[in-house]
Every structure is written in C-alpha cells, then in structure tokens.
Amino acid sequence: MQANHNKLTLSDPSILESIQPGSRKKALWAGLAVIVVVAIAAMIWVVVGLQGREKEFEADLQKRLELMAVSQVQYIDNMLDTVIEQSSRVINAELFRLYAAEVHLVQDDVALLVSGSLPGQEGASEDVAQLSAQLPMMQSLLTEFTRISGYLAGRVVNRNGTVFIATDASTTPLREGQMTMVQQTVASQQPEFGPLRPSEQGLLLEAYLPIFPPESSGLEQQPVAVLLLTKIVDEKLKALSSNSLLEKGERTRLLQKVATGYQEVVPWRPDPLQNVRNFPAEQKETLPFATRKALDEDAQAYSVGRQVKRADWWLVIEADYQIAREGLRTQQRSMMSIALLLVLVFSVTFGAFWALLLSSQERRSARHFKRLAEEIENQRQLLDRINSTISDYLVLKDLDGRYRYVNPAFAEAVGRAPHELIGFDNEAVFGYDTARRLEHSDQQVLATGETVTFEELLYLQSQPHHLQISKSALKDAEGKITGI
C-alpha cells in the first residue's frame, strides 16, 4: 500500500473513458469475456461434478456388491456347515468310530467283509467274520441316516480307498477324483468338499468327512476312514441367482476349480457346468472390486468375488458396465443441461442489464464516479504518504491471525520486506511464546469489540523493545468484525 504514482487510480482518465459512449465497444468485449469466463467456470463445475458423482457411484456400487458377495458366501458356508453338522451324528457316533477302527486293523481283509471268505479260507480271520456279521446293521444305520437327512447316498471308505459300508449296497470302486479327495481328507483331518458334478437327478455335492477311532482304542488319533455323503443341491444353488437385492444387469456367479481351470455352476441349464475364460486364477481369498472383463465374454463389467472357505469355490457378483452406469449417464446429461441453462440465463441477463445501464444511467454514473474517484484517489494518496512516513508500527490481521497489511516501519523493524510478511502470523514473526502472549489480547478484542491497550516487551531482530500496543476491531458496514 505504499504510494505508487505510476499506478492507475479511479481518477485516471482511461478508467473514466471506459464508461463513455466512445468506449462502448471495449466494454462490450469485456462483457463477452465475462460470459466466456462464466461458461468455462460452468464447464469446470460440470467436469468436477461428474468426477465426484462417478466416484460416489462406484463407491456405492462397490459397497453393495461386496455386501451381496459376503452374504452369498455366508449362505454357501451355512449350507456346507449344515452338512458337517448333520454328519457329526455318524462320524462322532462311538459305534461307527469303533467299527471303522476295527476295519482299519484288518487292512487287506476289508474286501472279505462284503464278498465273504474265498474257498479254502473260511476260517482265515475270526475278526473279519465278526465285522462281516455286523455289516448289515451298520449299513442299515447309515441308510436310515441318509434317508432322514435328505442325502442321496452314503459310503464309508477306509484309508486305502476301499468302500466297506454303502447305502446302495454297491462296492463300485471310487473314481480317481474321489480317491484324491479321500486322501486329501485323511491328510488334512478336516471335512472336505469335492467339485460339484452333474447326474440324472441333478447337481451332486460330495462331502468327505474324517472318522477318527475311539479314544479307548489305543490307536493314534488320525482318520481311520472317511464318510462320503452325496446330496442333490440344485434348488439351494438356484436361490443364489434369485437374490431380490440384485438389480438390472447384475448376477451372481458360482465358480468351482477343476483340473482344466474354472467352471461356472448353472443348475438351471441343461449343461450345468460351463467353462469360463476370464477368471483371474492368481487371486487368493478375495477378488477386489474393479472394472474387468466379464467371466465368459469380452464385455466390461464391475465385479467383486469371495472364496468359499470350505471348498475350492468362488462366489462372484458381476454388474454389466453399460447397464450399471445408465443412472450415472442420466445425471451427467442433467448436469450438462443445467450448466448450459445457467450460461444462457447469465448471458441474457447480462445483455439486458448492459442495455439498461447504457441507456439510462451512463452520463449520471460517469459524473458520479468521476467525483468519487477523485475523492478516493486523494484519500489514498494521503494514506500512502502517512503510512510510508509514520514511525509507529501498523499491522492489519484477519480473523485467522494472518497479516493482510503491514506498513514500512513495521517491516523494517522485523527485518523483512512488506510483501514478504503478507500471510504470516505472529508465531512466524515473533516465535511461539510471544505469539501466545499476544493472542490473549486478540481474543479480547474479538470478544468485546473494544480497543485494548497494553505494554509488552518484544524482541525485534534480537533486540528488546518496550512497546505500547493498541488493538482495535476492524468492522464492515454491517458492524461485523473482519480483522484487527
């Protein structure tokens, strides 16, 4: 705010001429420039708004898809936990555990339980004969359990893969995949679930549950047999795709890992297992929310996935990219229309105001502003001369305590140029302790609106100065405090 006689002031002839008839063209171009600025500001508003809406849209979609994925995985986990809970009636029954342990001890003679002794070997093993006599009862108990619990079939298999109890009275050898699952169950000592497989009755779920020997048997507590249960699960899996929370373009997809990759389970189709191409097999436990290719096509989709804990399955929720963004595109069009309308309204309003201003107030405004400009210029020059020559320190601070103006005397006292101090606060100039002392009087002025005068010892450029400091509230036309 130092005096600068090279600056244009309100009394400068070039400013006064800008409202004269000869300068209408320049003023018109200035108005058009303002309209262009408004249009650019509107476009920036649209771009920023669209970016914000898109982030909000994707955040909401991510949260909803993740919640659905978690709930669907919980549904599957509950289905598998139910199988384990029901099977505990067999695998934890002392009768089955004891029988399985005794069968385990006869080892190679297990086949004789079903086929009987070969000619010439009728007395080969009394233990086998006793177990063979008990076999019909064990089959009856397992059959009754599967019937009541809703299972299609049940088998008890020893550690070598030989079936010695079967509800269908069949001793058909296990398939290669079933034998692998039996070995995996024995090794993990935990319930395991094999891949779903199609049958004439529907999709079959195979559960493999370890049977441990009784503690009184003296055997090591490792599985001596595996209970293999088969259950039809078409209806339960169909419930995944009929989730009422799914919106248009969204679908639930259940995948299972097989030797060739991943298959989608679609029990409502004639071929209920469909190979998928685009599942990222390297994922572990969680498929994070992202835009990626759909599982069976090249179209983009939003997707999120969770792995089923008890089986090598994945639950993926997909939302078609184009369909999911329909609402967002509608919002985008609305925002662009609003921005265009605002620019149009502003342009029309500005044009009408400009015409009215030029036609009715041009000469009166010119005379008024000329007198006002002369008065302001005289006052400004007077204030500049006073502020440049006064030895007292003069500072103007905003409500945040930051300097908005300092006179040359204050700037010289603290060893800075005036423009360098703009934006500083007391702490930046005097240090923390002094700033805290001065802050009390600031708060007093802001609270009361009255002038506060006090004496203070301040160090200016490392030299002590005893100062009398007066602080007053700076108020606007409405009496509101705007600074000190």
Side-chain angles (χ1 to χ4, degrees):
M1 295 179 62
Q2 299 182 33
N4 186 347
H5 301 292
N6 294 324
K7 281 187 175 181
L8 294 177
T9 67
L10 291 177
S11 61
D12 194 293
S14 62
I15 296 180
L16 297 177
E17 289 174 0
S18 64
I19 58 175
Q20 298 301 322
S23 301
R24 290 182 180 180
K25 182 178 291 187
K26 291 182 180 180
L28 178 61
W29 282 110
L32 293 177
V34 171
I35 294 176
V36 171
V37 170
V38 171
I40 294 174
M43 292 305 299
I44 294 175
W45 173 77
V46 169
V47 172
V48 173
L50 293 181
Q51 291 176 345
R53 292 291 177 88
E54 180 155 2
K55 290 181 179 179
E56 182 180 354
F57 158 77
E58 291 190 346
D60 291 342
L61 181 62
Q62 176 181 357
K63 184 176 181 180
R64 197 167 59 80
L65 295 187
E66 287 179 346
L67 287 175
M68 284 196 294
V70 170
S71 65
Q72 298 287 56
V73 169
Q74 184 64 47
Y75 172 82
I76 297 175
D77 284 338
N78 290 340
M79 180 182 73
L80 301 182
D81 288 340
T82 300
V83 174
I84 296 174
E85 182 179 351
Q86 291 176 338
S87 68
S88 64
R89 295 163 54 188
V90 174
I91 62 176
N92 292 331
E94 287 296 318
L95 182 60
F96 272 92
R97 295 175 67 181
L98 181 60
Y99 191 82
E102 292 176 348
V103 171
H104 172 70
L105 292 176
V106 302
Q107 298 182 355
D108 295 339
D109 293 334
V110 173
L112 299 178
L113 291 178
V114 179
S115 63
S117 301
L118 296 175
Q121 296 181 336
E122 286 76 3
S125 173
E126 183 178 348
D127 292 337
V128 172
Q130 291 178 352
L131 293 174
S132 181
Q134 298 171 4
L135 182 59
M137 179 187 67
M138 304 303 297
Q139 289 178 332
S140 176
L141 291 174
L142 183 58
T143 301
E144 183 69 10
F145 164 76
T146 55
R147 183 185 65 80
I148 294 175
S149 301
Y151 291 95
L152 184 65
R155 289 183 173 188
V156 180
V157 188
N158 74 351
R159 295 175 62 169
N160 296 326
T162 303
V163 179
F164 59 90
I165 302 178
T167 59
D168 54 4
S170 173
T171 56
T172 304
L174 299 180
R175 303 187 313 276
E176 181 180 354
Q178 290 177 321
M179 188 62 210
T180 300
M181 292 302 302
V182 169
Q183 294 171 349
Q184 183 174 326
T185 304
V186 172
S188 69
Q189 303 185 21
Q190 298 289 334
E192 301 284 349
F193 293 88
L196 298 168
R197 60 185 182 88
S199 69
E200 294 181 357
Q201 297 92 336
L203 277 174
L204 299 181
L205 171 66
E206 292 181 339
Y208 298 81
L209 305 121
I211 301 177
F212 293 88
E215 295 182 359
S216 60
S217 66
L219 295 175
E220 185 179 357
Q221 285 299 301
Q222 292 186 353
V224 292
V226 173
L227 173 63
L228 169 56
L229 295 175
T230 305
K231 189 180 185 70
I232 300 175
V233 291
D234 291 56
E235 295 303 321
K236 289 187 175 295
L237 296 182
K238 287 179 182 178
L240 293 175
S241 61
S242 59
N243 190 338
S244 60
L245 297 178
L246 293 172
E247 297 186 356
K248 181 181 178 182
E250 298 175 354
R251 52 181 174 171
T252 300
R253 314 190 72 170
L254 178 62
L255 309 180
Q256 66 176 8
K257 188 175 183 180
V258 294
T260 57
Y262 283 88
Q263 293 177 328
E264 182 180 6
V265 180
V266 281
W268 55 89
R269 292 186 181 180
D271 183 5
L273 298 177
Q274 303 283 332
N275 292 329
V276 296
R277 297 178 295 165
N278 300 324
F279 184 72
E282 71 280 359
Q283 297 295 328
K284 300 295 183 183
E285 297 184 359
T286 300
L287 182 67
F289 175 83
T291 304
R292 53 175 64 89
K293 288 185 178 179
L295 293 177
D296 56 358
E297 55 189 16
D298 293 332
Q300 280 191 314
Y302 292 103
S303 63
V304 64
R306 294 290 184 275
Q307 189 173 20
V308 179
K309 294 180 180 179
R310 296 190 179 278
D312 208 349
W313 301 351
W314 279 85
L315 195 289
V316 178
I317 306 291
E318 273 189 352
D320 183 273
Y321 185 84
Q322 297 299 330
I323 296 177
R325 294 174 67 88
E326 283 181 354
L328 182 62
R329 287 194 291 270
T330 300
Q331 294 180 358
Q332 291 173 343
R333 289 192 292 268
S334 298
M335 291 185 67
M336 294 183 67
S337 299
I338 292 173
L340 182 61
L341 181 62
L342 287 175
V343 173
L344 181 61
V345 169
F346 182 84
S347 300
V348 173
T349 304
F350 182 83
F353 173 77
W354 179 254
L356 180 63
L357 182 65
L358 289 180
S359 62
S360 63
Q361 296 184 347
E362 186 178 45
R363 279 185 286 182
R364 185 176 61 183
S365 297
R367 290 193 299 269
H368 171 74
F369 284 120
K370 182 177 180 181
R371 291 193 301 269
L372 181 61
E374 290 174 349
E375 181 179 351
I376 292 175
E377 178 63 15
N378 291 335
Q379 293 178 358
R380 187 190 68 81
Q381 291 180 4
L382 176 61
L383 287 175
D384 278 353
R385 284 192 290 269
I386 293 174
N387 290 336
S388 298
T389 58
I390 190 172
S391 61
D392 290 344
Y393 308 151
L394 181 63
V395 174
L396 172 63
K397 300 191 296 183
D398 61 19
L399 296 179
D400 293 327
R402 299 190 178 279
Y403 296 169
R404 291 294 171 240
Y405 169 77
V406 298
N407 70 341
F410 179 81
E412 182 180 357
V414 298
R416 299 286 188 100
H419 69 274
E420 294 177 352
L421 293 170
I422 303 304
F424 280 22
D425 57 13
N426 284 338
E427 184 175 344
V429 176
F430 301 113
Y432 179 82
D433 293 334
T434 302
R436 296 287 76 79
R437 296 200 309 272
L438 296 176
E439 183 180 358
H440 176 73
S441 54
D442 285 354
Q443 297 302 322
Q444 187 176 355
V445 172
L446 295 177
T448 65
E450 303 294 333
T451 299
V452 175
T453 302
F454 59 96
E455 294 182 359
E456 185 70 44
L457 173 63
L458 298 181
Y459 282 83
L460 305 178
Q461 301 188 60
S462 301
Q463 298 297 322
H465 288 71
H466 292 276
L467 301 180
Q468 183 185 62
I469 302 175
S470 293
K471 295 187 178 183
S472 300
L474 181 66
K475 300 180 181 180
D476 58 16
E478 297 177 356
K480 183 179 179 181
I481 297 177
T482 59
I484 298 175

